[in-house]
Amino acid sequence: MEIAKIIQESRRKKGYTQERLAELVGVSAPAVSKWETGASLPDITLLAPVARALGITVDQLLDFRASPDAQEVNALEQACAETFGKEGYAAGKARCEALLCEYPNCAYLRFRIAGLYQRFLVELPGASDERIREELARIRELMRQVYDSGDSGLHAAAAVSLASHALMEDDLERAEALLSELPRTEIDPDELYPLLYWKLGEPERAAKLLEERAYRTGGEAVRALNLLSTIASQAEEHGRALAYSRASAALVQTLDLRDVTGCTQLLALLNRSGEAEEAVEAAAGYLRRLAALGEERPHPLFERLELRQQPESLRAVQRLLLAGFEADESYAALRQDAGVKAAMEALRGKISQNPG
């Protein structure tokens, strides 16, 4: 809140006129009027007298907070996300960096902003490798600061993020060190909470937790199958690789997961193996699933599931993946199929409806 508004609201709450406040602190009524309109600010020597007259502290007068609370950070994150979406990556980052300067000791703010940078990195299509490396380095720097902050609630999440970056850089020793320090338990209490709530006579609460768990673990299973497929493919076990990818795609379809990585992996394997008919179906399905990302619709299986939408970066992801499919020469024959052409056109239409 601006000082002008704080002075005005506090004065009115005390029942003072501008003249009375001016009298109490030894200034003219026009001076108080200027404070309240924002035309000028109280002299630094008057901050304490003004605060005492208004019955507040100097910190309250200046709207000083050492750090915003979690709810305020989430609101700031959403505002920054809107800036990224409407004004582009540079404007969004500038707003974020200003907040980091304003609240230099807030680990949670650093954590959320690092996530924003990661999320909107796709808004930089065509950026040089050096620019991408610079942005990733900034994300790592923020996560390292969170990791070193001593915030026990964020330490594990920061360690996982840093380990992920280390793996991307093939710094395997660093990744292993970070992962090895994370606690591993034999029993996951999340398995018991739904049963507890059900026995307590709260079936809706139990069902909501079960749906969230099924969706989350479904995503974990898909990622595991995709990596198994990659490992099998590198070992030239092409049949096994294809089986893993088919299982991944089937799970995505069954649980209606918002994931397209498995679809792209299956498509590439089918195309390389000469499974032309299935490759055409996979290509059209991949493009349709890509077009459906972010649609405002209830989940067909998990009606209690609240899926977080990220429309600001969605169109950039769609554009990037569509451009990749169109540019890949190995898919030239697939792009001639009528069904694939129709799916591509539908995706272009979705992107053009909201260019982001």
Side-chain angles (χ1 to χ4, degrees), residues 87-148:
E87 301 178 36
Y89 191 90
K93 184 179 180 182
R95 183 169 187 177
C96 288
E97 292 294 327
L99 285 172
L100 292 173
C101 291
E102 185 175 355
Y103 300 109
N105 297 317
C106 184
Y108 185 54
L109 180 64
R110 291 184 177 275
F111 181 78
R112 301 307 301 184
I113 284 179
L116 278 178
Y117 289 169
Q118 188 78 51
R119 172 176 154 192
F120 284 96
L121 203 54
V122 293
E123 297 282 4
L124 289 171
S128 67
D129 291 343
E130 182 179 357
R131 174 70 188 283
I132 296 297
R133 283 195 295 270
E134 288 175 359
E135 297 303 325
L136 290 174
R138 180 56 175 154
I139 293 169
R140 286 195 301 274
E141 180 185 6
L142 291 174
M143 281 299 180
R144 193 172 295 111
Q145 291 168 355
V146 174
Y147 179 83
D148 293 335

Side-chain angles (χ1 to χ4, degrees), residues 3-20:
I3 294 177
K5 190 173 182 181
I6 293 172
I7 293 175
Q8 185 181 71
E9 289 185 357
S10 299
R11 175 180 62 77
R12 289 175 176 173
K13 188 175 181 180
K14 293 286 287 185
Y16 294 158
T17 62
Q18 289 182 341
E19 289 76 10
R20 176 56 178 158

Side-chain angles (χ1 to χ4, degrees), residues 78-355:
Q78 182 58 38
C80 288
E82 291 176 3
T83 302
F84 274 105
K86 294 176 181 177
E87 301 178 36
Y89 191 90
K93 184 179 180 182
R95 183 169 187 177
C96 288
E97 292 294 327
L99 285 172
L100 292 173
C101 291
E102 185 175 355
Y103 300 109
N105 297 317
C106 184
Y108 185 54
L109 180 64
R110 291 184 177 275
F111 181 78
R112 301 307 301 184
I113 284 179
L116 278 178
Y117 289 169
Q118 188 78 51
R119 172 176 154 192
F120 284 96
L121 203 54
V122 293
E123 297 282 4
L124 289 171
S128 67
D129 291 343
E130 182 179 357
R131 174 70 188 283
I132 296 297
R133 283 195 295 270
E134 288 175 359
E135 297 303 325
L136 290 174
R138 180 56 175 154
I139 293 169
R140 286 195 301 274
E141 180 185 6
L142 291 174
M143 281 299 180
R144 193 172 295 111
Q145 291 168 355
V146 174
Y147 179 83
D148 293 335
S149 70
D151 190 321
S152 59
L154 297 173
H155 186 81
V160 169
S161 176
L162 289 171
S164 176
H165 280 269
L167 285 170
M168 285 192 295
E169 297 177 320
D170 287 331
D171 187 350
L172 306 185
E173 184 177 348
R174 173 65 172 159
E176 186 174 18
L178 287 163
L179 292 174
S180 64
E181 73 178 42
L182 296 175
R184 303 186 73 172
T185 59
E186 296 295 328
I187 299 175
D188 183 357
D190 285 348
E191 295 182 5
L192 298 178
Y193 279 115
L195 180 60
L196 171 65
Y197 295 139
W198 179 58
K199 286 182 174 289
L200 286 172
E202 300 181 54
E204 277 298 308
R205 191 175 183 184
K208 186 175 187 298
L209 285 179
L210 288 167
E211 288 188 359
E212 291 172 350
R213 183 174 177 81
Y215 192 87
R216 182 175 65 253
T217 55
E220 292 171 357
V222 164
R223 290 189 289 275
L225 287 165
N226 291 341
L227 184 53
L228 283 167
S229 178
T230 299
I231 292 171
S233 184
Q234 288 181 347
E236 298 188 357
E237 297 177 356
H238 302 302
R240 185 180 293 274
L242 200 51
Y244 285 136
S245 278
R246 283 179 173 139
S248 170
L251 190 55
V252 168
Q253 181 70 28
T254 300
L255 297 182
D256 194 31
L257 301 175
R258 298 187 177 182
D259 183 289
V260 295
T261 54
C263 299
T264 57
Q265 194 162 350
L266 176 61
L267 173 58
L269 288 171
L270 289 170
N271 198 45
R272 284 201 300 269
S273 63
E275 302 280 351
E277 185 174 341
E278 191 177 353
V280 166
E281 293 177 3
Y286 162 62
L287 294 165
R288 286 194 295 268
R289 181 160 289 280
L290 186 55
L293 288 179
E295 284 185 350
E296 293 291 343
R297 56 184 173 83
H299 194 283
L301 184 61
F302 304 134
E303 60 183 17
R304 302 168 185 83
L305 200 63
E306 296 177 4
L307 297 175
R308 185 178 179 184
Q309 301 290 329
Q310 297 180 346
E312 304 89 355
S313 59
L314 172 62
R315 299 309 173 201
V317 171
Q318 290 174 319
R319 284 195 300 270
L320 191 64
L321 295 179
L322 176 59
F325 179 79
E326 291 176 324
D328 194 325
E329 285 303 317
S330 68
Y331 296 147
L334 297 178
R335 292 194 292 269
Q336 301 308 309
D337 178 81
V340 173
K341 284 182 178 180
M344 290 173 65
E345 191 58 35
L347 176 54
R348 290 191 195 99
K350 274 292 182 68
I351 294 171
S352 66
Q353 287 174 13
N354 182 6

